Structures are given as C-alpha cells and as structure tokens.
Amino acid sequence: MPATAIEPPAFSAVLFGLSGCLVDFGARTVPVALQYAFPRHQDLGSVERHPETALRAWLERTPDDSDRHTLAQALMQAAIEHTELTPGCRELLADLFRQDVRCVWLDELPNEASHTLASILPDGVIGITASPPRPWPAPDACWQALMAVEANDPRHCVVVSGDPRLLRSGLNAGVWTVGLAACGPLCGLAPADWQALAPLERDRLRAQATLELYRLGAHSVIDHLGDLATCLEDLAARRQKGEKP
C-alpha cells in the first residue's frame, strides 16, 4: 500500500504580536505601567503602545533617562500582572505545532518585560527581541523574524496582531496580515471589562476596530486567536486562487 502523502501546512511561519495577541488581552501593559509610574487621570485605552512614544505623550515633554528608568520598572510590574494567555491561544499554538508551523512573537517592550509576558507561552514559540534598525511600521522586525526561522517565501507567512503598526510592518514586508479587533489595543480593555460591556457596546467597539484594521490594509480581521485557524484556511484558499499579500 502506498504511503499516505502528508499535506504541507498552509503557512510555514506565523509571526504574532506578543501583548494584545498571544498574551495581555487589550494590550494593557504599557498604559497600566504609565499609570503606575506617573499617576494621572486619563483614559488608558487611548494610550499609544510604543513605550517611548507613549512616555513622551504621557509626560507632554521629552523624557529623560530617569523617566525611562521609572517606566522600565513599572513595565516589569505591569508585565507580571498581565502574563495571561488570550482566548484560544494555547489551543491554536498546539495545532500549529502539530502542523510544524514555526511560531514567532514580536514586541517593542524592553527585553525584561517582553520575556516576562512571554514566560507563560509554551516551549517552541520563538521570541525576537533584537532591536531592528528601524521600528514598526518598517518591515525590518518582520524580516528579522523570517530570517530567524528560515522562512524564505513571505507569501507563505502571516503576521497576526491587533497593533496597527505591526500589521503595517507585515504589509511592508510582503506577508499576509490578520488583524485582531477585540483583544488588541484598539479596544484596549481588560478581559473582565470587555465581558462586562453591554452587547451593543461590544459590537460597536468591535466594528470600529475591524473597520480601522481593514482600512490600513489587513487581509483579514478576526476577534481573537480562537478564530485564527479558520482564517488561515481562508487565506490559503485565496492564495491558491492567485491572490498575493
């Protein structure tokens, strides 16, 4: 009897954002850290997620080294508090590992905070923490990740994130992109706060985030990682029909 052919995975590598994607529902680490370090009354959902940019906007001045040190300490505290997998993450990663898909996380937090958040991830998810020559949305970080896992064809790779800047990085790198509407920074709510919303308000925020992610060019948008497996099948079908990222 001839051996059964093993169908290759639809994608060779998936590049995930860390905060607001794999862990830390709502990408709350940076805004919560700013509140710890420099208390003030502000809507945390509107805070930029890039630490240096967020710090400058929060202080309304150019930060100095003392400010950065204070924020770095607060980021560690906030990272410890937000080290929790997002819905569907564990099951999705197990499924991708079974298919021999290389899984990578990308983040812009200081290395210590990033690794604290990533400590809950299963073995096998590769972290890329080396600072790229240019920050997101330049493609450098995505290219570094693809080279690290020897993924030679960007058309067989996907970036998954709720952060518009990382999705633009993926688009600039020539890979497929999947936006996360509910668990990323555009909604920016902690899991309990998200669930406590009235259904109509959840739908409004979800629709608003979905529209913004599609407008920036994401190839597909889902709520969270629990919906990704079906989404990847759809993207693979689109690629087979000749569509390119």
Side-chain angles (χ1 to χ4, degrees), residues 159-174:
V159 166
V160 182
S161 177
D163 190 310
R165 295 173 59 253
L166 180 52
L167 290 171
R168 289 192 188 100
S169 177
L171 291 168
N172 290 333

Side-chain angles (χ1 to χ4, degrees), residues 124-226:
V125 186
I126 301 167
I128 304 296
T129 57
S131 298
R134 297 172 295 174
W136 308 343
D140 303 33
C142 291
W143 285 341
Q144 281 184 347
L146 295 178
M147 288 188 290
V149 296
E150 299 180 347
N152 299 318
D153 189 346
R155 295 170 300 176
H156 287 77
C157 302
V158 189
V159 166
V160 182
S161 177
D163 190 310
R165 295 173 59 253
L166 180 52
L167 290 171
R168 289 192 188 100
S169 177
L171 291 168
N172 290 333
V175 304
W176 295 92
T177 54
V178 177
L180 302 178
C183 69
L186 293 183
C187 288
L189 294 175
D193 295 334
W194 176 254
Q195 292 301 326
L197 291 175
L200 286 177
E201 179 63 8
R202 269 203 309 271
D203 290 344
R204 185 189 69 81
L205 291 175
R206 181 189 292 112
Q208 184 176 298
T210 298
L211 183 59
E212 182 169 342
L213 294 172
Y214 272 126
R215 278 178 175 164
L216 70 83
H219 297 98
S220 187
V221 179
I222 57 179
D223 271 6
H224 51 67
L225 295 181

